[in-house]
Amino acid sequence: RQWPNRTIERAPRWASVDLRDGNQALLEPMSVEQKQRLWALLVKMGFKEIEVGFPSASRPDYEFVRWLIDQERIPEDVTIQALVQAREDLIARTFEALKGCRRAIVHVYNSTSTVQRERVFRKERDGITAIAVAGARMLQAEAARHPETEWVFQYSPESFSGTEAEYAVEICDEVIDVWQPTPERPCIINLPATVEGSTPNVFADQVEYFATHVSRRDSIILSIHAHNDRGCAVAASELALLAGADRMEGTLLGNGERTGNMDILTMAMNLYSQGIDPGLDLSNPDEIIQVSTECTGIPVHPRHPWVGELVYTAFSGSHQDAIRKCLQQQRAGEPWQVAYLPIDPRDIGRDYQAVIRVNSQSGKGGVAFVLERDYGLSLPRWMQIELAQLVQKVTEETAGEVNSQTIYKLFVEHFVADARPVAMTGYRLDRDNNDVIEVTLSENGNPAVIEGRGEGAISAFVDAWHNHNGQQINIIDYNEHAIGEGTDTEAVAYVQINVDGTRVSGVAFSQDTVSASLNAVISALNRARTNQSKAA
C-alpha cells in the first residue's frame, strides 16, 4: 500500500459529466437550450473533456451533439465524450452523432459486479468479458469507417467498486488487448464507484491494486467516476488520486443519481486551499451556482462546501472576534492566516460583507466588525462590550439576524447624546496659557459660559464643568480616530467617564477633533443624567 505515504501535488485531468450523468438524474431533463447554456459555462471554466450525452438513447442528446459539431461550438482544445452501451446498433448510432467531429471520446461500458453478473445478466465472468470485448471491437470497427476524426476509446467496468479486484483487472486487460493503446495514443480506463459501498481508504486500495496490476499501464489514462452514496465521493476521489488515478469524472455541485456524483467544485477547491492550481476557473462561484441551478432546477444548500451562501459567515461571537483580529493583521502577499477562514473569500469572488453577520449568538467582535467594515468605526473594547449587550437584546427579541444599519442606529441612539439637555454651541481654547478653555453651553435652552484649565482640552473641560456646577467627573478611557481619508475627514471620539460612581460612555462626531472630544464628554454627561432620571 503506497498511497497512504503520498501527497497530492497536482490536479487531475477533469472530465465533466454534467450534461450526461447529471442530466439523466433530473426529474425534468435539460432542454437543448439549457444544455447549450451549461456547455458554455463548462467551457468558460476551463474543462477540456466534457461528456455531452448518450446520443444513441436520447433524441435531445443526439440533437445537442449535432448542434455542437454543426455550429462549430467545440473549441480546439476541448474534447467531447459520448457514452454508449456495448451494443452494435447503439454504437453505430453514437458514431453517426459524432460524425464530423475533430476529436471525440467514445465511452463504452458494461456492468461487471458480482450482483450484476449473478442477478441481472445471469452470466459467468466469461460471458461478461465477452460483452466487453465485443464492444471494444465494435468501437474499433466504427472508428475505422471515420478516419477523419481523432478517436479516443474509453472503457468502464461499471460498478467497479462492487467487482472483485482481480476480475476488474482481467476484463480491462482483455479490452486493452483489443485496442492496443500506446503511450502516444492511450486509451482511458474509467473505474466507477457506481454505488459507494465502502470507506474511501478501501476504494483507494482497489484503485491501487488495479493500477499496479493492469497491463500497459503507461498506455492508459486511469480515470475515476465516484458516486456519493456514503457522502464520501470527494474523499474517495482524492485518495484514488494518491492511489494512481490520472483523471476525475464528476459534476458541478455534485448533481447526479441518488446522492449524486463527485462534486468537482469541492474537490477542485480542496486542492486550491492546499496551494495546488486546480486548473479550472473558480473565480465566479455565483455565476456557476446561477447557471447550474437554472439548468438543473436544483438549489444549492447555503452550507455547501466552499460556495454556499453562508460558508464564509460567522455568527459565533468568539469566531467573529478571532476573524476580526486576524484580518486586521493580515498583510498583502503573505500566506493566508485567518482563523475560521481556510481561504481568502475574495479569491473566488466573495467579499467580507458576508464574513460576519450578527444574531443572538454573536458577541462584541461581530458587532465591532460590521461597524468597522461598513462605517469605518473602530470601537474600543469597553464600548464593544456595552454595544454588544444592546444588540443581543434586540436579536433575542426579534429572534433573528440584525443588519449593520440596525446596529449603527442602536449605536448612535445610545451613545451620541450631545444635543440635550446639555449642548455645546462654541468653545475657545488657549493652548499658550496652560490650556485654558472657555465653553459656551446651552442647558435646557439656557445659555451658560464655563471656564477651566488643564493639561489638554478634555482635562480643561472637566475642570470647567466642576467649576460650573460642582460635579466631579473622572475620565476613565478615551479614544479617537479619523473616518476615511482626505481634507474633509470626520473624526469620531469615544469617552468613558465616571460620574458619581457610575461609568458612562459617550460618542461624538465632528470635523474638528477638539469638538468631537468635548461633545463625547457631553454625550456621556447627558446619558448619565438620562439614566439618573429613569432610576428616579
Side-chain angles (χ1 to χ4, degrees):
R1 299 173 78 241
Q2 299 300 312
W3 67 262
N5 297 323
R6 295 174 182 155
T7 56
I8 298 175
E9 297 178 348
R10 63 180 181 274
R13 293 172 55 164
W14 302 109
S16 162
V17 296
D18 291 85
L19 293 165
R20 199 280 303 170
D21 203 345
N23 185 51
Q24 77 175 32
L26 300 176
L27 182 63
E28 295 183 7
M30 285 181 269
S31 65
V32 171
E33 292 74 20
Q34 287 173 317
K35 285 189 172 187
Q36 292 169 353
R37 189 178 179 199
L38 189 52
W39 163 266
L41 174 67
L42 295 170
V43 170
K44 181 180 179 181
M45 290 178 64
F47 284 97
K48 303 306 179 186
E49 295 178 5
I50 302 173
E51 192 165 77
V52 291
F54 203 141
S56 64
S58 165
R59 184 70 193 177
D61 279 13
Y62 186 97
E63 292 175 354
F64 175 64
V65 173
R66 289 314 313 165
W67 174 82
L68 289 171
I69 298 169
D70 295 339
Q71 298 299 317
E72 299 182 348
R73 299 297 179 128
I74 307 171
E76 282 289 316
D77 60 347
V78 174
T79 302
I80 62 172
Q81 175 174 310
L83 183 71
V84 63
Q85 290 175 318
R87 287 171 46 187
E88 187 173 7
D89 58 329
L90 300 181
I91 289 173
R93 177 74 167 163
T94 300
F95 276 86
E96 178 186 318
L98 295 169
K99 187 176 181 180
C101 188
R102 180 190 58 82
R103 185 174 191 268
I105 300 168
V106 184
H107 179 190
V108 66
Y109 72 97
N110 67 307
S111 295
T112 60
S113 67
T114 307
V115 68
Q116 290 268 21
R117 296 197 312 263
E118 294 177 353
R119 300 200 170 193
V120 178
F121 295 98
R122 298 184 180 181
K123 290 180 181 290
E124 298 297 327
R125 288 185 178 184
D126 289 347
I128 299 298
T129 301
I131 295 173
V133 170
R137 287 174 175 159
M138 291 177 211
L139 258 61
Q140 257 188 337
E142 285 294 335
R145 296 188 181 98
H146 304 279
E148 72 281 3
T149 298
E150 179 186 346
W151 299 106
V152 178
F153 299 148
Q154 175 172 329
Y155 173 69
S156 287
E158 194 203 1
S159 58
F160 162 80
S161 52
T163 303
E164 303 90 334
E166 72 281 0
Y167 178 55
V169 171
E170 177 187 319
I171 192 171
C172 289
D173 276 346
E174 293 289 339
V175 170
I176 293 168
D177 191 53
V178 172
W179 288 339
Q180 294 289 305
T182 65
E184 295 72 32
R185 291 184 65 91
C187 67
I188 300 171
I189 299 296
N190 185 58
L191 306 180
T194 307
V195 177
E196 186 180 36
S198 66
T199 52
N201 61 298
V202 173
F203 183 68
D205 286 340
Q206 292 176 301
V207 172
E208 185 171 79
Y209 179 91
F210 185 94
T212 54
H213 288 77
V214 71
S215 64
R216 300 177 188 255
R217 179 63 184 91
D218 63 344
S219 299
I220 67 171
I221 296 164
L222 190 57
S223 179
I224 302 297
H225 182 113
H227 279 260
N228 202 40
D229 299 87
R230 301 178 75 254
C232 301
V234 169
S237 298
E238 289 180 338
L239 297 192
L241 195 57
L242 295 175
D246 309 303
R247 179 180 185 264
M248 294 293 157
E249 293 191 345
T251 59
L252 300 179
L253 304 165
N255 177 38
E257 293 182 67
R258 302 181 309 279
T259 55
N261 286 47
M262 188 274 286
D263 181 352
I264 289 180
L265 217 57
T266 296
M267 184 172 173
M269 281 302 304
N270 287 356
L271 297 179
Y272 176 77
S273 72
Q274 302 302 306
I276 298 171
D277 181 0
L280 295 173
D281 184 354
L282 309 173
S283 62
N284 193 347
D286 291 338
E287 179 188 21
I288 296 170
I289 289 170
Q290 181 182 1
V291 174
S292 180
T293 298
E294 291 178 0
C295 290
T296 65
I298 299 176
V300 176
H301 195 284
R303 300 292 184 189
H304 192 100
W306 299 114
V307 298
E309 180 185 357
L310 296 178
V311 296
Y312 302 109
T313 301
F315 289 104
S316 163
S318 60
H319 292 193
Q320 293 174 342
D321 188 55
I323 291 171
R324 182 178 65 87
K325 290 174 180 175
C326 289
L327 287 175
Q328 289 174 341
Q329 299 175 64
Q330 183 69 28
R331 298 292 178 262
E334 70 173 350
W336 182 251
Q337 300 179 81
V338 176
Y340 302 108
L341 292 178
I343 66 165
D344 184 346
R346 292 178 300 186
D347 290 353
I348 59 169
R350 300 290 172 86
D351 57 33
Y352 297 128
Q353 300 302 311
V355 169
I356 292 180
R357 290 162 64 174
V358 178
N359 64 14
S360 62
Q361 302 298 309
S362 306
K364 66 183 187 304
V367 170
F369 180 90
V370 296
L371 287 181
E372 185 170 3
R373 179 192 67 195
D374 296 343
Y375 297 96
L377 299 174
S378 182
L379 272 60
R381 178 180 171 81
W382 42 269
M383 186 160 284
Q384 293 176 24
I385 295 171
E386 191 172 349
L387 178 59
Q389 293 171 348
L390 298 171
V391 173
Q392 182 163 10
K393 183 179 179 181
V394 172
T395 59
E396 289 174 348
E397 290 172 350
T398 59
E401 181 184 355
V402 293
N403 56 31
S404 62
Q405 293 93 333
T406 301
I407 295 172
Y408 181 75
K409 184 179 179 182
L410 283 170
F411 170 74
V412 172
E413 288 178 348
H414 283 81
F415 296 108
V416 181
D418 56 4
R420 60 183 189 276
V422 178
M424 183 178 73
T425 58
Y427 75 90
R428 184 170 60 84
L429 179 64
D430 186 356
R431 293 193 180 277
D432 295 330
N433 190 20
N434 296 324
D435 286 338
V436 173
I437 197 168
E438 178 183 283
V439 181
T440 304
L441 301 176
S442 172
E443 294 186 83
N444 294 314
N446 299 315
V449 177
I450 64 175
E451 295 182 356
R453 70 175 60 241
E455 296 181 1
I458 294 179
S459 177
F461 177 82
V462 168
D463 181 61
W465 183 260
H466 178 69
N467 294 336
H468 173 58
N469 64 8
Q471 187 177 41
Q472 182 66 49
I473 60 175
N474 296 306
I475 304 297
I476 305 299
D477 210 333
Y478 172 80
N479 294 78
E480 70 174 37
H481 64 82
I483 302 174
E485 299 177 353
T487 56
D488 296 329
T489 298
E490 190 174 37
V492 58
Y494 316 90
V495 67
Q496 187 181 54
I497 66 175
N498 187 307
V499 182
D500 300 328
T502 302
R503 291 191 177 191
V504 187
S505 302
V507 176
F509 298 86
S510 176
Q511 289 187 325
D512 173 25
T513 56
V514 174
S515 292
S517 302
L518 300 181
N519 276 324
V521 177
I522 292 172
S523 292
L525 289 170
N526 286 337
R527 291 190 66 221
R529 290 191 178 187
T530 301
N531 293 340
Q532 290 170 355
S533 298
K534 289 180 180 178

